[in-house]
Amino acid sequence: MSVATHQDSSAPSPVSLQVGLIGQKFMGRAHSNAWSQVGHFFDLPRTPQLHTIAARDATELERFAAKWGWAQATTRWQDLAEADAIELVDIGTPNHLHAEQALAMLAAGKHVACEKPLAGSLDDARAMRDAAAASSAKTFVWFNYRRCPAIGLAWNLVRAGRLGAIRHVRAKYLQSWGGPETPASWRFDKSKAGSGALGDLGAHSIDLARFLVGEDITQVAGALQQTFVGERDGANGERVPSDVDDATLFLARFEGGALGSFEATRLAHGHLNRNTIELNGELGSIAFDFERMNELSFLDARDPSAERGWRRIVATSAGDHPYAAAWWPDAHVLGYEHGFVNMAADIVRVLSGAEPELPLPDFEDAWRTQCVMEAAGLAAREGRAVELSSIS
Ligand code: SOE
């Protein structure tokens, strides 16, 4: 199916950036919102235009396209590769589809922005990394939490040496929606998702840790994974195997010697979307909790005063905090969707030859995160430490 929904984009203006998107579920909404909002809030060299949305369900698709402002809709994602006007293809599909779609788009000369994790398997991820390296197109991976202003502030503080050498990284991503009452979906099917909590949640933690510390992980050890719910209800009342990790825990060593601990679970009642990370350095500490995403906690260990202790910084001030200038007055706080809009702004900057406000993850970067996921799975299965140098 292919339909024109409300405007003719056959003659794109030179400053427009024609975007195609694959996927109309949760990430389809988050990304559609980002592409349509970004030009309203950021002053950018180019303006994204919602050219074509591709998705499988034709009935839903027409309504989705009209609601979010996509000019055209198609049930053939290959149409995006064939559309000359489209420069950037955004992939918001289940993990096992990323590689085929990204490789086709790169072969057609499109820039690609792909959902995390990079792929459902190491082989797919490697193929994507290699194709990106061989192409002149730019690639991006939606590790959206990098774009919270408070994380941007943390990144700046680490870069400014305010923590000194990093000793500890403590990352937890805890959710609670994965109990036996949750029906089967691709997220619980290893052949599609690749992994469960590890790739869905742990991938964000690994990316944030590597981003903030600015170093790669060299070793993974002490890993445990567990599938607590082995079967779920299928669409027709049948029981379907659920074969991914509901929880993954592991320890890690960074290049510079810092030690990390990681926990990812979908079975932590009381925690809905608790993505937390804490860094302890020789000179101070930072702590972030996504459920209070506008705040960063900072402790300066060099403060000699009796009042030394954790500072709660509301990271919403234009001029001081990344991305804040594009939004609202102080403490008129941001939410989940703003991370995607902030990332869309940086993607547009890069595709216009400008610098992003903060470094963006590309396929090479996301490949390294995928290698850490692979090492964690191997370490858990074989009950041993795994050197990242052995994963390639
Ligand atoms: C899972 O619940 C999920 O939607 C992840 O897939 C996202 O990546 C994460 O940001 C929020 O939680």
Side-chain angles (χ1 to χ4, degrees), residues 53-99:
I53 170 92
R56 279 180 310 186
D57 181 339
T59 327
E60 217 181 301
L61 182 56
E62 216 165 316
R63 221 157 39 96
F64 186 96
K67 182 170 180 173
W68 289 99
W70 290 96
Q72 298 180 47
T74 176
T75 49
R76 274 190 81 245
W77 59 261
Q78 293 85 350
D79 286 350
L80 305 191
E82 292 158 17
D84 288 343
I86 294 178
E87 275 184 62
L88 169 68
V89 174
D90 184 357
I91 299 175
T93 55
N95 305 344
H96 66 303
L97 301 176
H98 292 179

Side-chain angles (χ1 to χ4, degrees), residues 26-27 115-116 142 144-145 173 175 177 186-187 199-201 204 266 272-273 275 336 340:
F26 180 16
M27 284 306 115
E115 244 316 307
K116 52 53 60 175
W142 289 93
N144 50 298
Y145 296 109
Y173 201 149
Q175 294 184 344
W177 58 273
W186 68 268
R187 289 176 185 274
D200 194 26
L201 307 178
H204 280 302
R266 293 161 166 170
L272 296 172
N273 196 31
N275 177 5
Y336 176 65
F340 292 88

Side-chain angles (χ1 to χ4, degrees), residues 118 122-123 125-127 129 362-372 391-392:
L118 183 58
L122 194 68
D123 284 349
R126 188 185 309 103
R129 190 244 356 221
D362 61 8
F363 281 11
E364 170 65 36
D365 198 350
W367 153 258
R368 292 176 189 214
T369 289
Q370 190 98 22
C371 289
V372 178
I391 312 273
S392 58

Side-chain angles (χ1 to χ4, degrees), residues 17-32:
L17 173 69
Q18 301 294 327
V19 178
L21 170 67
I22 317 177
Q24 59 176 339
K25 301 295 185 194
F26 180 16
M27 284 306 115
R29 294 171 67 223
H31 296 196
S32 295

Side-chain angles (χ1 to χ4, degrees), residues 153 156 317-322 324:
L153 172 62
N156 285 337
S317 302
D320 289 334
H321 304 137

Side-chain angles (χ1 to χ4, degrees), residues 53 170 188 207 239 387:
I53 170 92
R170 217 165 284 110
F188 298 110
D207 177 71
R239 297 292 284 169
E387 301 298 323

